[in-house]
Amino acid sequence: RFSLLLLNLEEYYFEQHTANHIINKDCKDERKFRGSLKICSKSIIFEPDDNIKPIIKIPLRDCISIKAPEDNEANNPFTRSTSGGISVLCSQVFLIKERNVIAPYKTVRGRTEHLFQLDVAGKVGDVVQTLHQLYRASCLDKMGDQAAMITAILQSRLARTSFDKNRFQSISETLHMECKAEMVTPLVTNPGHVCVTDANLYFQPLNGYPKPVVQITLQNVRRIYKRRHGLMPLGLEVFCTENDLCSDIYLKFYNYQDRDEVYFLIATYIENHIAEHTAESYMLQWQRGHLSNYQYLLHLNNLADRSCNDLSQYPVFPWIIADYSSSVLDLTKPETFRDLSKPVGALNKERLDRLLTRYQEMSEPKFMYGSHYSSPGYVLFYLVRVAPEYMLCLQNGKFDHADRMFNSIAETWKNCLDGATDFKELIPEFYENDPSFLVNSLKLDLGKRQGGKIVEDVELPPWASGPDDFLQKSQEALESQYVSEHLHEWIDLIFGYKQKGSEAVAAHNVFHPLTYEGGVDLNSIMDPNEKVALLTQILEFGQTPKQLFTTPHPQRIIPKLKSLSRTSSHSISLTESPVSPNEESFEDLTEESITLAWNNIAKLKLDKQYKIHKEAITGIAVTCNGSSVFTTSQDSTLKMFSKESKTIQRSVSFSNMALSSCLILPGDTTVISSSWDNHIYFYSVAFGRQQDVLMGHDDAVSKICWRDGRLYSASWDSTVKVWHCVPGETLSNKKHHFELLAELEHDVSVNTIDLNAANTILASGTRDGTISVWDVTAATVLHQLPCHSGTVFDAAFSPDSRHLLSTGEDCCFKVIDVQTGMLISSVTTDEPQRCFKWDGNTILSGSQSGELLIWDLLGGKVIERIKGHTGAVMSTWMNEQCNSVITGGEDKQIMFWKLQY
């Protein structure tokens, strides 16, 4: 029945002794109760073995005297029977869990004497001495002085003990480090010793409670997070699961060096087993539909220091539904949902206007909301039916007034809209599968409301048939299309760029300065009393999550949505072209075959290979029917290879300089090649001759693209040029007519370019590793990121144009969100990857050593390595169905690959 929640906040439980509690000593009705006497830093607690009897808690500050009776009666033969006794005279005691029922504590005021007889009489002296020390601490006027004295007592106890090595799982374990720390659970910390070996993490509580040792096998660890605890960077939380809300252990260290060393030891161990997850890597998985909205919010909470073990930083989830009165919940209507672009405090305009008036009149530091959206009180408001002892602990043994309880969902939502000081969001439990927090299954007496109604289960909206149905519908709402389209707006407020600064002011999202990370530096406060008061205030008030994003968060990709209604300046570039109904089924079939191909891409097999050039192959283009393959090479030739006859049918040289890339125009009549001699050559397949030349650049042309009658050329002269081409008439020898439409200026040589599906956005990669994203129609740069250190080898948009992947000399793959320009993923490779194809999730890349590699981008790992060329893979071609691949290498060969499944 005893738990650490019977202690006051910030109180420690030191030791326990088996004892008898003697009532009415030396009287006719003297009674003895067996039990356990627990010495705590601010109280004495006696837990009787008999469950019917109440637990007795005596606050030390209410004690009048604490003594061993035999101190002054040692020679009296009549008192020998009470040997081992401790007498406590006090003015007030609390009776807890009488008849083993969880209820508000009963207070017994008035002088009472309690006699405790220890089983081991020899310990009485030490126990009384400890109690006198702790009593002196509790009588100090100032909280800071009390805390300092108790800390000194605790530290001296920890220094006198060490981890019991007999607790190791195996005698062959090697000890890496040992230090002092506290195990953190909600509202409570428990001091002890931490030990890290080559196989396990151990925690041994000083008091042996709740068990002598807690052990975590390092092999089972999946995630580990550094935590801010009580505003200090001293916490460490360890998870042995991938998606669970609750961790396996949360430790708080006494200095950050110990914390960092334990983190390093565990992280080094698991690094060999697991890739570390960043907010960006989770974002990519969420955007691509591999994580649900619920899972993504859980991961963001975790990364932002939110933990189920810390009620002042409990995970925060949004109110989603705004309709609690209809009999049917319609998730297709936008008005069913709360506006996720606004904080709770800004949802009601009238209330917001009042708050803004006050904000304007306020002197610095200004804030709009006097209370927070997440605090220990709010968490326990929701959870009182399943965690009543936490509520009693937080509120000094009392439940809240019945009318202020969590009585009804609709009422709570209404209060969050209208209440003058109520701006709370929800907790993850609203979107999980356990409805017990909505039901008073413990039969708690939570009081009567003003109308005489007894507080029982939470009243649910008409559209929910019961607690399970309520949670089911809440989950459906959270995963609905509307929320998927708008969740990023709420993330901007809570974890993102609208959390602080001018953006927060504009979004009406400004809370008390003390709630923000770095809002106060506790180390700079010298007065211990001021420090304790401030810390208490912050922990009770609630804290804003750590800021994870400083730029707008990208929107989720909604599959099969033909138009994304965005109001951004370049939304045009992100909308897909509408598809007419009769094309739909054909498109779906193609899409299915592409998906099938990429799912089996690791089964790519080499079909044939031919050495057709004298130098490295730089470009590959194939006719529509697949019969002819055109290649360019650093040997300055363009060759036409027939797949059927397996022979070279044409070989053309335009100059003595290397060719860098080639493409074939629709209709298969013209091939265009770019050259290091600054020119672009047009070759007529039908007439077998050079038809035209475009002298478009001042240095080598590195890459060309063709879309809708427009030619895009990248060059080492630091420009990308966009040309409008009017084809010439071959018979009358009329030349092509070229019109320069745009020139995109860069600082250094441009090495590669790619266009999105709508031909509205162009990406370029340069020699110094910069990736630029351009709005082609306006010829303006949308985003510029220093992505790679060294040359960018290749860059390409995902099929849905939402993401851009690039690879470079620095052995890295980088993913950029096109809408926001945010770098959202980075995968390190063993060697440079020279070229690639990808479908948004899986990459097929050609490496420096000549291998073909298949990558799972989200997992950041290689799935398959396929032996290929003997030198670097320089270029890759893939057909529309994605089941046929041709690669060209530094080894002068072309290789034909087939998917076999």
Side-chain angles (χ1 to χ4, degrees), residues 14-59:
F14 285 141
E15 60 192 58
Q16 68 161 352
H17 303 276
T18 315
N20 286 319
H21 181 209
I22 303 174
I23 295 176
N24 300 332
K25 171 91 182 91
D26 298 335
C27 298
K28 243 190 246 171
D29 55 349
E30 175 180 325
R31 281 175 297 162
K32 274 187 185 184
F33 301 108
R34 291 283 296 152
S36 158
L37 183 70
K38 300 173 195 296
I39 310 303
C40 308
S41 57
K42 296 179 182 177
S43 57
I44 304 167
I45 293 176
F46 181 77
E47 178 189 21
D49 292 346
D50 182 351
N51 273 356
I52 301 298
K53 297 275 173 270
I55 293 172
I56 296 167
K57 177 176 174 177
I58 307 170

Side-chain angles (χ1 to χ4, degrees), residues 852-865:
L852 293 191
L853 270 57
I854 318 287
W855 298 80
D856 166 17
L857 179 61
L858 302 176
K861 56 181 186 288
V862 177
I863 306 166
E864 194 67 54
R865 291 174 180 272

Side-chain angles (χ1 to χ4, degrees), residues 228 279 303-305 491-501 503 516-517 544-551:
R228 192 172 43 131
L303 290 166
D305 275 347
I491 292 169
D492 284 336
L493 295 168
I494 307 297
F495 304 105
Y497 82 113
K498 292 183 177 177
Q499 192 198 81
K500 295 178 185 168
E503 293 287 357
Y516 294 96
E517 184 177 23
T544 302
K546 188 155 89 183
Q547 191 172 19
L548 300 178
F549 308 105
T550 51
T551 55

Side-chain angles (χ1 to χ4, degrees), residues 9 108 143 175 301 319 368 377 425 434 480 491 497 501 512 524 565 601 667 708 729 760 793 846 868:
L9 294 175
V108 179
M143 294 298 288
L175 173 69
N301 271 289
W319 282 98
M368 292 172 190
E425 291 280 9
D434 181 2
S480 67
I491 292 169
Y497 82 113
H512 195 286
S524 67
S565 53
I601 201 83
D708 285 351
E729 293 162 28
T760 50
F793 286 138

Side-chain angles (χ1 to χ4, degrees), residues 549-564:
F549 308 105
T550 51
T551 55
H553 190 289
Q555 189 184 20
R556 191 167 194 182
I557 297 166
I558 316 295
K560 287 287 167 206
L561 192 66
K562 292 302 167 198
S563 157
L564 294 171

